[in-house]
Structure formats: structure tokens, C-alpha cells
Amino acid sequence: MFEMIMVIVCQALGTAGAASDACIAGDFPGAGRELKKAAGIMKFLAEDQLPKWISRGTNVEDKELPVEASVGICDSFKTLFLAVGQQMAIATVLVKPGIPNYTLVAKLCLGVAENLETFVNTIRSKAALQKEKIDPNFFTLITFQIGLHNALCLYFGARGIWEGKDKYGIAIVML
């Protein structure tokens, strides 16, 4: 059963890697679709396969398993992949010609920040033992991205209000 779990994990991570390649190539919608698939695979692991494996009983302790073979990590990375997929939606809107819908971009940025916060909270609550095995610089990056997307939410919200040509004072305060 362990081998099957690891094959499915590799499929999820490979799909996320394909999303990265699509993003580098500028295919943001394709990258978003791949990240959605990767999130679905992680959800399948967290909600179906890993609980089945655990219920059958195993003599291996959690601390000896790879981090990706735990329910908490799979559940949290599902949320991370959804957040990064939403970043691809933001990129898609911003690269289209013309003036983007700034209010939509602001809401998408807020959604990314919320998903990243959920990711961190899930790791802390469901995968505390495995968190110690992950490079702390990764969590520094996630914390930075949360702050960045909160700031982008305010920026694009202000741009949306400014483009509406009314309530300039509110737009200035948001900046």
C-alpha cells in the first residue's frame, strides 16, 4: 500500500511540475488547470487513500514516513495548489490586453491570501510533526506571499475604485 501511496504522490507532484512548466511558458490557464488536478490528487490522498491505509494498520510511525505520506501534508498541499492555481487566474487577467477588472483581481488576491493562511494553519494543526522536516525558508516564503497578496488586494481594490471615477478619497486611503 505504501508504494501505491507514493506513486499517487509522485503523480500529484509531477502534475504540479507540469503546471510550473506551463507557467514558465506563459500558459497561465493551462498551469491553473494542472494545479487544480494536482490539488484533486492531494485531496484524493488525504480523504480516501491515506485513511484507508491507516485503518488497515501499519507498524511504521508517522515520524519515519516521508512528509508527503501523511494526511495533514496532503490536505494542506491541496490548499496550496489551489492558491497557486488562483495566482494563475490573476496572471491570466493581468496579461490580457486592455484594462483589467481591478475589483476582480483584488478579490482573487484576497482569496489567494486566505488559501495560503489556511495552508499554514492546516500544517500547524494536522501535520506538526512533518512540519519540522520542511525547510523553514519555505514557510518564510509563504508568509511573505500572504502579506504580498493582502497588499495587492488593497492596491487593486483602490485601482478599481479609482477607475470608477468616484470616491477618490477612499481609493487614496486604501493605498
Side-chain angles (χ1 to χ4, degrees):
M1 185 81 175
F2 174 75
E3 291 81 10
M4 183 181 75
I5 297 292
M6 292 310 293
V7 166
I8 297 171
V9 166
C10 288
Q11 177 66 36
L13 297 177
T15 304
S20 176
D21 292 342
C23 178
I24 290 169
D27 181 17
F28 302 120
R33 285 189 296 275
E34 291 296 318
L35 285 162
K36 186 177 176 184
K37 285 181 202 173
I41 295 168
M42 286 298 200
K43 180 180 178 182
F44 173 69
L45 278 168
E47 295 177 1
D48 189 44
Q49 290 301 310
L50 286 169
K52 283 182 185 175
W53 182 39
I54 293 167
S55 69
R56 290 183 180 167
T58 179
N59 56 359
V60 180
E61 293 183 33
D62 280 347
K63 63 182 178 181
E64 294 175 13
L65 290 172
V67 292
E68 61 270 18
S70 71
V71 173
I73 292 293
C74 288
D75 193 30
S76 61
F77 270 78
K78 170 197 72 170
T79 308
L80 177 66
F81 289 153
L82 290 174
V84 177
Q86 196 157 335
Q87 287 176 332
M88 296 303 111
I90 294 167
T92 301
V93 171
L94 293 176
V95 298
K96 285 186 178 178
I99 297 173
N101 182 343
Y102 291 117
T103 306
L104 171 66
V105 176
K107 290 177 182 178
L108 288 171
C109 286
L110 183 61
V112 170
E114 288 175 355
N115 277 341
L116 291 173
E117 287 173 357
T118 302
F119 166 74
V120 171
N121 292 335
T122 304
I123 287 231
R124 286 182 183 151
S125 64
K126 292 185 178 179
L129 292 174
Q130 291 82 9
K131 183 179 182 256
E132 296 172 5
K133 295 180 183 179
I134 299 173
D135 186 0
N137 291 326
F138 175 71
F139 295 105
T140 304
L141 172 68
I142 296 296
T143 303
F144 171 76
Q145 283 203 357
I146 291 169
L148 174 70
H149 281 286
N150 282 324
L152 286 173
C153 174
L154 293 174
Y155 170 75
F156 286 120
R159 288 285 305 264
I161 291 171
W162 190 272
E163 293 292 325
K165 304 214 184 303
D166 61 346
K167 302 178 186 173
Y168 292 114
I170 294 173
I172 291 170
V173 168
M174 288 179 74
L175 288 174

